[in-house]
Amino acid sequence: MQWTDRIRHVKIVLVVAAVLIAVASLVVSNSLVRQLAVEERNKMEVWAEAMRSLNTADANTDLNLVLKVMNENNTIPVIVTDAKGDVQIYRNVRLKGATLDDSLDMAKTESARMLDEGKAIRIVLDESVPDGYINVCYDDSVILKRLAAYPYIQLGVVMLFVVVAIFALLTSKRAEQNKVWVGLSKETAHQLGTPISSLMAWTEILKETYPDDTLIPEMDKDVKRLELIADRFSKIGSLPEPVPASLTEVMEHVIEYMDRRTSQKVKFIKDFPEGDIVIKINASLFEWVIENLCKNAVDAMEGSGTITLHLDETADKAIIEVSDTGKGIRKKDMRNVFRPGFTTKKRGWGLGLSLAKRIVEEYHKGRIFVKSSEPGRGTTFRIELRK
């Protein structure tokens, strides 16, 4: 298992643990809300009974206890209506009507809502009369409503904190990775500088000593290639100034280089427009991108197949596509192909596509992605650059 997979599994475990904790918190909070709602229902049944006693009181009824029960309700909104729905009294209900009639209309609307929600207790005052009853309509108290909403607010705040923390962590990790990239690249370029200079000098000596040797020009090309590689590494981490360059020439250079260094069983097909496409790029770095795509294609085809390089343009962007007839990419690996360290090969660092993505997106403000891939039939990578 690769380190990227281990990190992903740890993230999944942490997310699952956070979800379980959030669900447990919501379950406990909802249980408390239900218990408090039942308690408020019991209080309103006692209050309704006191209301019935008040309406049926006679000269011998002691109203002290009844009035005490009714006056102690300072939290639960309650509206008493008759059988026709007209409001008799209301308590702990905030109404913003400009006049008394407006307030009564608003109270009537609120009582109808409470009846629809089943938050009402019917008190029969006279069984012999069809309309001889009143309805005690009530709503959840402010404390109960706040308690019901609090877990979701708390969950939202926690999730926001987690998102910010993850974003900060990823940003810090990316910055650290960038420093490693830059340091490694510049150190590589620095270490290559001395032996390349020595090889260039020895090549010049060999040219003077053996002017007719046909192998020395090939050695000279390889030395220049090393010099180009060192130059590319030295530009990683800096912001090389893009200049107008021909994409056709860049692609031609890559095909020429790859064709001489791959098996004869690998065939390169050019699909270029008749006119030249000129765009601002860093040609040296962009050639590196196409080379990496072609090398991956050769590996995917196991040294035998066809690589098609397609070049096109629209009004606002240039399009490059590199297609192969290799083994393709599995769906589960599709989102990881550009991740540093990910590779399906037995040998390799898994940095080629990651480096290509960095060059295209960070240095050229473009876009690179897998356009299509089918196991056993091949893969197409697509690059889009703004003109």
Side-chain angles (χ1 to χ4, degrees):
M1 182 182 295
Q2 298 181 359
W3 65 272
T4 52
D5 294 329
R6 290 198 295 267
I7 291 177
R8 184 166 62 254
H9 291 160
V10 170
K11 288 181 179 178
I12 292 174
V13 170
L14 292 176
V15 170
V16 171
V19 170
L20 292 177
I21 293 173
V23 170
S25 175
L26 290 176
V27 170
V28 172
S29 299
N30 288 333
S31 177
L32 293 175
V33 169
R34 287 195 298 269
Q35 293 177 15
L36 185 57
V38 171
E39 184 178 345
E40 289 191 354
R41 171 78 182 188
N42 295 334
K43 287 182 179 180
M44 288 314 303
E45 289 178 350
V46 174
W47 197 91
E49 184 63 25
M51 189 69 187
R52 188 191 65 79
S53 299
L54 181 63
N55 279 272
T56 59
D58 54 22
N60 297 321
T61 303
D62 184 6
L63 298 178
N64 290 329
L65 181 59
V66 172
L67 294 175
K68 182 178 181 181
V69 170
M70 296 183 67
N71 291 330
E72 283 183 350
N73 175 28
N74 296 315
T75 57
I76 303 175
V78 59
I79 302 174
V80 179
T81 63
D82 59 17
K84 296 180 181 180
D86 295 328
V87 176
Q88 302 297 310
I89 61 172
Y90 57 85
R91 185 179 181 85
N92 303 324
V93 181
R94 293 184 179 181
L95 302 175
K96 299 180 180 180
T99 64
L100 179 60
D101 291 337
D102 293 338
S103 296
L104 291 176
D105 289 339
M106 294 179 64
K108 187 174 182 179
T109 302
E110 285 293 308
S111 65
R113 178 184 63 80
M114 296 173 188
L115 278 169
D116 292 338
E117 294 177 357
K119 297 178 180 179
I121 302 172
R122 177 170 293 188
I123 301 174
V124 179
L125 302 178
D126 189 352
E127 295 182 355
S128 62
V129 180
D131 295 339
Y133 66 87
I134 60 175
N135 289 319
V136 178
C137 306
Y138 66 94
D139 200 3
D140 295 334
S141 64
V142 175
I143 295 176
L144 182 59
K145 290 180 179 179
R146 289 177 179 175
L147 182 60
Y150 177 74
Y152 298 97
I153 297 175
Q154 182 186 34
L155 181 62
V157 172
V158 171
M159 292 303 295
L160 179 62
F161 175 78
V162 170
V163 170
V164 172
I166 292 176
F167 177 77
L169 179 63
L170 293 177
T171 302
S172 175
K173 182 180 178 181
R174 190 176 296 112
E176 184 177 353
Q177 289 177 341
N178 288 341
K179 289 181 180 179
V180 174
W181 272 101
V182 173
L184 179 62
S185 300
K186 291 187 176 298
E187 181 63 21
T188 302
H190 176 71
Q191 293 295 334
L192 288 174
T194 301
I196 289 175
S197 299
S198 178
L199 287 172
M200 292 174 65
W202 281 111
T203 303
E204 293 299 323
I205 293 175
L206 289 173
K207 285 180 181 179
E208 294 178 0
T209 307
Y210 306 99
D212 299 327
D213 196 314
T214 58
L215 295 178
I216 295 177
E218 295 299 321
M219 292 175 58
D220 187 50
K221 289 180 181 179
D222 287 334
V223 172
K224 290 180 178 178
R225 178 69 185 178
L226 285 174
E227 188 179 9
L228 175 62
I229 292 173
D231 179 66
R232 288 173 176 174
F233 274 111
S234 68
K235 291 177 180 177
I236 296 295
S238 59
L239 291 176
E241 185 69 23
V243 296
S246 169
L247 281 179
T248 305
E249 291 184 5
V250 170
M251 304 286 280
E252 291 279 5
H253 289 165
V254 174
I255 293 174
E256 181 184 356
Y257 171 76
M258 293 296 301
D259 192 37
R260 287 189 285 109
R261 286 165 173 78
T262 54
S263 169
Q264 296 296 322
K265 296 180 180 180
V266 176
K267 183 179 180 181
F268 289 89
I269 297 178
K270 298 185 292 184
D271 183 15
F272 298 165
E274 294 183 1
D276 198 4
I277 299 177
V278 178
I279 190 172
K280 284 188 175 182
I281 58 172
N282 183 280
S284 175
L285 290 179
F286 199 76
E287 281 186 19
W288 202 0
V289 173
I290 307 301
E291 284 178 17
N292 279 327
L293 293 179
C294 290
K295 289 177 180 177
N296 279 348
V298 172
D299 292 336
M301 297 187 302
E302 297 180 347
S304 177
T306 301
I307 299 176
T308 303
L309 292 95
H310 172 77
L311 184 59
D312 200 0
E313 65 177 332
T314 62
D316 59 345
K317 61 187 176 183
I319 300 170
I320 303 102
E321 291 183 358
V322 179
S323 305
D324 62 62
T325 57
K327 58 186 178 181
I329 303 172
R330 296 178 297 179
K331 288 186 178 180
K332 68 176 184 178
D333 295 334
M334 196 77 73
R335 62 180 181 178
N336 297 321
V337 293
F338 294 106
R339 182 174 295 178
F342 177 81
T343 179
T344 57
K345 296 180 289 186
K346 294 181 179 179
R347 293 186 300 173
W349 293 92
L351 298 177
L353 289 178
S354 174
L355 181 62
K357 185 178 180 68
R358 180 186 180 94
I359 293 173
V360 171
E361 296 187 355
E362 293 190 21
Y363 295 162
H364 294 89
K365 307 304 178 184
R367 183 169 174 244
I368 181 172
F369 58 95
V370 180
K371 180 184 178 182
S372 63
S373 184
E374 186 175 347
R377 301 195 63 176
T379 303
T380 298
F381 283 88
R382 182 183 178 101
I383 300 173
E384 297 178 355
L385 299 175
R386 289 182 295 178
K387 295 175 67 176

